[in-house]
Amino acid sequence: MAQVTIKIPTQLRSATGGEGTVRAEGETVQGVLEHLFTAHPELRDSLTDSQGDLRRFVNVYLDGEDIRFGDGLGTPVADRQELQILPAVAGGR
Amino acid sequence: MPATALTCRECGSTYPLEAQFVCSRCFGPLEAQYAEHPSAGDPDAIKRRIQAGPQTIWRYADFLPTDRVPTLPAAGPGGTGGLDGLPAGGTPLVRADRLAERLGLREVWVKNDAANPTHSFKDRVVAVAAARAKELGFTTLACASTGNLANAVAAAGAALGMPVYVFIPADLEEQKILATGIYGATVVTVRGNYDDVNRLCTEIAGERPDWAFVNVNMRPYYAEGSKTLAYEIAEELGFQAPDRIVAPIASGSLFTKIGKGFREWIDLGLLPEGTQVPIMSGAQAAGCNPVAAAFDAGHDVCRPVRPDTIAKSLAIGNPADGPYAIELARKTSGTISEVTDDEIRAGIKLLAETTGIFTETAGGVTTATLRKLAEEGRIGRDERVVIVITGEGLKTLDAVRGTFECREIAPSFDEFETIAEHRAEVTA
């Protein structure tokens, strides 16, 4: 099992007791998130829909790379990688 | 300010009118909600209120989630005019008969938003966001930008006496970087594309609650500024909606807010009975086409792409409002198309040569999309079409360098005659 760091956005820190960074383990992004949800169950509803897919305004990055450029939730993770969860933000330019 | 709350577009949760942009329940985007218009039920009274206002976006203050920078001292000696020196909106809507004729169309209009103070439509959204940031007590303005927004935020910050931090991709057009730094803004060039910059700013905004990131934590207010484009087009046409709008899509926010602006006025009875939201045609570059690709494939969500196009102001590979843009295009029987970089250059030239308006690359995308739809017969012969030109060509000069030749001569009349004759042969 790979140990990864997960960065929690400010909007969701009430679910982690105010912590901005937590540790979790797994072999894929999905596995890591499941481990995260076990420790912090409130996060599951905020981040995933009833099918277990990521909600459409949730972006997840592995070492800065959008996981949709990899295998999405099936993207493999390695030790010491960083998973970042952020809301999709538009209105830019 | 008639706004009453922020509401989640996904799950409907409501929040107070603060610097919040994401629903803490489902992560959906928040949008301003309004109380009933003070003159609801009396369209003529609403029109009179609008027409009594200044020739800027503030004539539509009843429809915006902020007051007009109320905390500034009055203009004049010892005071500051605030944003009065940067009057956003009130840009021309011009009938483009020569462009229409070239494309075999009957009626084409150009909404030229390059005529804004910093030469792009971003002055509209920044005016609203900066006004709200002042109301909420923020002291620093910031943004993630591909250039135009950086220009607008830097200028607004200078006018308001607020420090500004802008974050842009390091490979941006030099003109856009210069036109930001000159106002005294701190320009942070990030090694990465806009999506990387946006990700960084979203993180910083979370950690710096005292900074107003106009397009991150101020986003629900900022985005509403785009509606004024729809209001102006309708008002300039004599309180009528056109049949079709062609507008560029980057994040999808501008496109969807134009649709929202028309919807609001239809619901208030400001447009003739039976008026529909115009057919909405979105324009993307082939080198950054996530919304067009999803639209073509019949998907509701956009798969991100890595941008590679000369249209850098549209180079958002991960457009958060993409799903709403797709929904709007479908609802109005519209389209979302993509055009190549060569078509974009040709679009810039076509607009310039037929209207005298020199647009940046995003306008090249829009014009090229109009041409494509016309050539494919997808625009009805009798449609009244408005294309939205969002920015100024002087900001993206590199894109058109080398697209025409100069004729050098000695200071001799004979030599000039040779050139003139040659020119006559070429154009004959």
Side-chain angles (χ1 to χ4, degrees), chain A residues 59-62 64-70, chain B residues 304 318:
Chain A
N59 287 343
V60 176
Y61 303 87
L62 184 62
E65 179 88 343
D66 193 315
I67 60 166
R68 288 172 291 184
F69 285 124
Chain B
N318 185 12

Side-chain angles (χ1 to χ4, degrees), chain B residues 73-255:
Chain B
T80 162
L83 292 176
D84 284 352
L86 300 170
T91 60
L93 177 72
V94 293
R95 189 163 165 152
D97 285 343
R98 295 189 59 236
L99 175 61
E101 192 185 345
R102 192 80 82 82
L103 299 178
L105 299 173
R106 187 175 66 85
E107 193 176 338
V108 175
W109 296 74
V110 178
K111 181 62 176 166
N112 181 14
D113 246 26
N116 272 302
T118 68
H119 313 288
S120 84
F121 86 101
K122 290 297 179 184
D123 291 310
R124 298 176 184 274
V125 286
V126 168
V128 178
R132 187 67 185 140
K134 271 280 185 188
E135 286 174 348
L136 290 172
F138 286 98
T139 53
T140 300
L141 287 181
C143 69
S145 176
T146 61
N148 282 329
L149 181 60
N151 295 173
V153 171
L160 295 170
M162 296 171 80
V164 171
Y165 284 79
V166 305
F167 297 81
I168 53 176
D171 70 343
L172 212 58
E173 295 97 341
E174 191 185 4
Q175 292 91 341
K176 285 182 177 165
I177 299 176
L178 289 173
T180 301
I182 196 68
Y183 298 113
T186 302
V187 182
V188 183
T189 55
V190 178
R191 289 187 296 276
N193 61 30
Y194 176 79
D195 297 299
D196 298 316
V197 177
N198 200 25
R199 181 168 55 84
L200 173 65
C201 286
T202 307
E203 192 178 351
I204 296 173
E207 305 298 334
R208 292 276 178 128
D210 52 331
W211 283 21
F213 273 84
V214 300
N215 55 342
V216 182
N217 54 354
M218 300 303 295
R219 179 171 169 260
Y221 310 101
Y222 160 99
E224 290 289 281
S226 293
K227 291 189 311 190
T228 59
L229 262 166
Y231 303 153
E232 273 181 28
I233 290 168
E235 197 186 344
E236 286 167 308
L237 290 174
F239 288 96
Q240 304 257 341
D243 298 307
R244 182 188 299 262
I245 299 275
V246 185
I249 293 181
S251 70
S253 175
L254 165 73
F255 187 74

Side-chain angles (χ1 to χ4, degrees), chain B residues 16-107:
Chain B
L17 289 162
E18 290 166 3
Q20 186 168 353
F21 64 106
V22 171
C23 175
S24 38
R25 247 184 77 196
C26 75
F27 250 34
L30 302 185
E31 187 170 62
Q33 289 297 309
Y34 297 86
E36 192 173 56
H37 191 281
S39 301
D42 187 351
D44 289 336
I46 300 175
K47 288 180 191 175
R48 281 195 299 275
R49 279 172 72 97
I50 292 168
Q51 287 165 335
Q55 291 293 334
T56 67
I57 64 164
W58 299 113
R59 69 202 277 105
Y60 310 115
D62 284 345
F63 306 89
L64 295 173
T66 183
D67 288 325
R68 186 186 174 197
V69 203
T71 53
L72 280 181
T80 162
L83 292 176
D84 284 352
L86 300 170
T91 60
L93 177 72
V94 293
R95 189 163 165 152
D97 285 343
R98 295 189 59 236
L99 175 61
E101 192 185 345
R102 192 80 82 82
L103 299 178
L105 299 173
R106 187 175 66 85
E107 193 176 338

